[in-house]
Amino acid sequence: MTALTKRYGSSPETGFDRDLRLIAENNEKNHLAEFFKETIAQNLTEEFWTLTLPENLFAQTTQLTDWRIFQMSQIHAKTHA
């Protein structure tokens, strides 16, 4: 989530570590599905999809995170050119 939303307090690595820790903790408690549902609802809002992400995709080069995530989603969905 940190890679997509870029919401981190200090370094990106700290945010990634936090994401991985939360995933591991929720997996151990068998709450992974609920955790992802809540996290997605909190972070991937309508504003994110209609304003933030399009602006980031438009403003950035192809070497940055949002573009790479977009490409990965296309590959995963088998909709890439």
Side-chain angles (χ1 to χ4, degrees):
M1 191 58 61
T2 299
L4 188 57
T5 63
K6 295 179 187 58
R7 292 183 184 165
Y8 38 79
S10 54
S11 71
E13 291 81 8
T14 303
F16 300 146
D17 288 341
R18 180 179 176 271
D19 286 348
L20 293 173
R21 181 181 47 79
L22 288 171
I23 290 168
E25 288 173 3
N26 282 279
N27 188 42
E28 288 174 7
K29 298 175 188 175
N30 292 321
H31 295 140
L32 201 52
E34 295 89 357
F35 167 73
F36 279 121
K37 185 176 179 179
E38 290 173 16
T39 302
I40 289 169
Q42 290 172 0
N43 292 285
L44 302 182
T45 63
E46 185 67 25
E47 179 181 328
F48 174 81
W49 292 113
T50 59
L51 298 173
T52 306
L53 184 61
E55 183 177 304
N56 288 347
L57 288 171
F58 180 74
Q60 296 184 4
T61 71
T62 59
Q63 298 302 314
L64 296 176
T65 307
D66 293 331
W67 179 252
R68 293 291 185 200
I69 292 172
F70 172 71
Q71 288 178 315
M72 287 186 289
S73 70
Q74 284 191 314
I75 292 168
H76 179 72
K78 297 180 176 143
T79 59
H80 61 287

